[in-house]
Amino acid sequence: MIQNTLNFTIGIAPENASIKQDILFIKSALLYSDTITLVSPAASTYYKLTNENNRQNEKTLFELINKVFLFCQSSNPVQCAEMKPALDQLGELLHDTQYKSAPVKFRLQVKTVLKKFAKDVSEALEGLLGQEDCSDLIYLVNNGKVKLYDFKADFGGDAYIYEFFTELKRSVCDMNTFPLFDNLSNNLIKSAIDDHIIALNEVNEFNAIHAGLANNLLVSLPSFEFASANEILDIRKELEAPLIRFRSKMLLYNNEIQSMPWDKEFHYESLRLYHKEIAPSVLEINELTRESGFIKNLGYNVLTDDSGLKVAGGLVMSIAAAGVISTYSDILSFDATMLTAGGAYAISKIAKSFKEYQVNQNMAKKKDMYFYYKAGNLLDKTK
């Protein structure tokens, strides 16, 4: 069966207390791919803790708090050391065989304390990871835009590290998946390849290069890191058709890259490709779409041609008397002054200039790199 979707798997190792890299990679994948699976212990743990469905059972709550506790130890070891005895006591209580037969009121009190504790921890974790990034993550997961890998092992232990590596290995060896990893994850894969633990075929290598190259290009778009998830989704919706041509061109660009994303040469090869192929293509589109061809200079061209002034006559006066100009004043983008000055001649020049403008716009939209060019324009906060 032919695979007709681009499925990205993003792997982010917990290098520090942040999901900024997670969100940055997710946004580039939202622009480019069809499905996204995120393998990230920090993101997964935060989402589980904030999901109300996971707060109904005392043991589940305790397990989640324990995972977050292990995660927070690296950033605040002193406070965690003070909290650990209380957590240990709570764990002993919940796992005691007599707990299920304890009075309902007592169990409700324990559950209330756990929920309050989980809420406090989740708020602290949100401050640690970044409130805006956390909000984007919850929105994207809840709306089915991102699927979170569900870790089974406890965070920080050997079993967790093995599970994380196993999932990275699975995705990089899956011919239907395009793997996109951060630096630590890439280093882990490179070590496994060097030690002959992982063997990749040509399709695996092609997919890894493709995902890495697309990400490198998209995250370098103007103001990309400051765009919200909703802005990215809006741009993707608007540029769905141009994306098809862009993907086709990106597949050809794969052949220009000889190194793998985990090789130090990959970044420089991507940069060279940008300056050699992509920047000139974007410049060509910019020249076709620049406003000087119609919007910027149209009024000036008409008003400075005095031959048009001779035929203003009664046509425009008739239009004005009939109320046409006032009726359509909010629709037409041309000044009434320009119409009264040029009359029928002005209208003729407008039509001619607009036709030229449309031709250039249509030519630009058929360019392979129009998606990249237009996405950059929509993201550019300076325009």
Side-chain angles (χ1 to χ4, degrees):
M1 182 176 178
I2 297 175
Q3 183 77 21
N4 58 4
T5 57
L6 288 180
N7 307 313
F8 271 42
T9 294
I10 300 172
I12 306 291
E15 183 176 10
N16 50 49
S18 170
I19 58 169
K20 188 170 291 295
Q21 185 87 318
D22 304 55
I23 298 300
L24 190 66
F25 279 21
I26 285 173
K27 289 192 297 187
S28 74
L30 282 174
L31 265 183
Y32 191 76
S33 71
D34 297 310
T35 69
I36 303 169
T37 299
L38 176 64
V39 185
S40 167
S44 179
T45 302
Y46 169 76
Y47 181 80
K48 281 185 176 181
L49 191 69
T50 56
N51 189 337
E52 190 63 32
N53 293 331
N54 293 326
R55 297 187 182 185
Q56 304 309 313
N57 179 275
E58 296 98 311
K59 287 186 178 180
T60 303
L61 270 170
F62 179 74
E63 289 170 4
L64 288 172
I65 291 170
N66 243 341
K67 286 187 177 183
V68 175
F69 179 78
L70 290 168
F71 175 72
C72 292
Q73 274 184 315
S74 60
S75 60
N76 200 338
V78 176
Q79 186 176 357
C80 286
E82 294 173 355
M83 292 168 56
K84 193 170 189 320
L87 278 177
D88 289 342
Q89 288 179 356
L90 187 57
E92 290 176 8
L93 172 66
L94 292 173
H95 290 91
D96 192 298
T97 55
Q98 302 300 314
Y99 179 73
K100 284 186 178 182
S101 58
V104 174
K105 185 177 180 179
F106 173 74
R107 292 184 59 182
L108 283 175
Q109 287 177 331
V110 172
K111 192 172 183 178
T112 300
V113 170
L114 277 170
K115 288 182 110 175
K116 175 65 168 60
F117 190 76
K119 184 176 181 294
D120 291 342
V121 172
S122 65
E123 288 176 355
L125 189 58
E126 185 175 289
L128 199 64
L129 299 177
Q131 186 173 2
E132 188 175 342
D133 290 337
C134 288
S135 296
D136 277 348
L137 177 70
I138 290 174
Y139 172 80
L140 293 170
V141 174
N142 287 346
N143 286 275
K145 302 298 182 181
V146 173
K147 178 183 176 183
L148 277 175
Y149 173 76
D150 185 14
F151 284 90
K152 305 300 186 296
D154 288 334
F155 176 78
D158 291 341
Y160 153 74
I161 296 172
Y162 178 76
E163 184 178 0
F164 181 69
F165 168 73
T166 300
E167 189 56 24
L168 294 184
K169 177 183 176 183
R170 186 206 62 76
S171 62
V172 82
C173 294
D174 184 350
M175 292 193 292
N176 293 319
T177 297
F178 292 78
L180 177 62
F181 302 151
D182 69 337
N183 288 335
L184 277 179
S185 301
N186 272 331
N187 290 340
L188 191 59
I189 292 298
K190 179 174 173 56
S191 296
I193 292 173
D194 291 343
D195 292 340
H196 306 290
I197 297 172
I198 294 178
L200 303 181
N201 59 35
E202 289 185 5
V203 175
N204 301 145
E205 292 178 349
F206 184 94
N207 289 354
I209 291 172
H210 192 75
L213 179 59
N215 178 71
N216 280 1
L217 292 177
L218 293 173
V219 298
S220 65
L221 285 169
S223 304
F224 185 85
E225 63 179 303
F226 304 112
S228 68
N230 274 322
E231 286 178 307
I232 296 295
L233 290 170
D234 287 343
I235 291 172
R236 168 61 185 268
K237 185 177 180 180
E238 180 176 340
L239 301 179
E240 195 71 44
L243 175 60
I244 296 172
R245 286 193 177 93
F246 180 65
R247 282 177 172 177
S248 176
K249 194 66 174 180
M250 289 297 294
L251 290 170
L252 293 176
Y253 282 154
N254 252 60
N255 300 323
E256 300 288 327
I257 306 296
Q258 303 301 314
S259 56
M260 299 301 296
W262 38 84
D263 297 330
K264 63 181 181 180
E265 296 84 5
F266 186 79
H267 171 74
Y268 300 104
E269 287 193 42
S270 299
L271 192 62
R272 183 179 62 194
L273 175 66
Y274 174 82
H275 289 296
K276 178 186 174 185
E277 300 286 349
I278 296 170
S281 297
V282 171
L283 179 62
E284 180 185 2
I285 296 171
N286 188 55
E287 289 172 349
L288 284 172
T289 58
R290 61 186 178 184
E291 290 184 350
S292 59
F294 173 64
I295 298 173
K296 187 176 179 182
N297 291 334
L298 177 59
Y300 176 79
N301 290 339
V302 172
L303 290 173
T304 54
D305 193 335
D306 60 4
S307 62
L309 300 177
K310 300 174 184 177
V311 291
L315 176 61
V316 172
M317 296 303 295
S318 299
I319 293 174
V324 174
I325 288 180
S326 61
T327 302
Y328 290 97
S329 61
D330 292 334
I331 300 174
L332 295 174
S333 59
F334 316 117
D335 290 337
T337 306
M338 183 172 66
L339 286 173
T340 55
Y345 178 78
I347 294 172
S348 173
K349 289 204 71 175
I350 289 169
K352 183 175 183 243
S353 297
F354 185 60
K355 185 176 181 181
E356 293 174 356
Y357 173 74
Q358 283 184 313
V359 168
N360 284 342
Q361 289 289 316
N362 289 334
M363 286 176 59
K365 289 177 180 178
K366 291 179 181 178
K367 298 290 184 181
D368 294 327
M369 298 304 293
Y370 180 77
F371 170 86
Y372 188 77
Y373 159 80
K374 188 63 177 179
N377 269 10
L378 292 172
L379 284 164
D380 194 347
K381 306 295 185 183
T382 64
K383 294 188 176 181

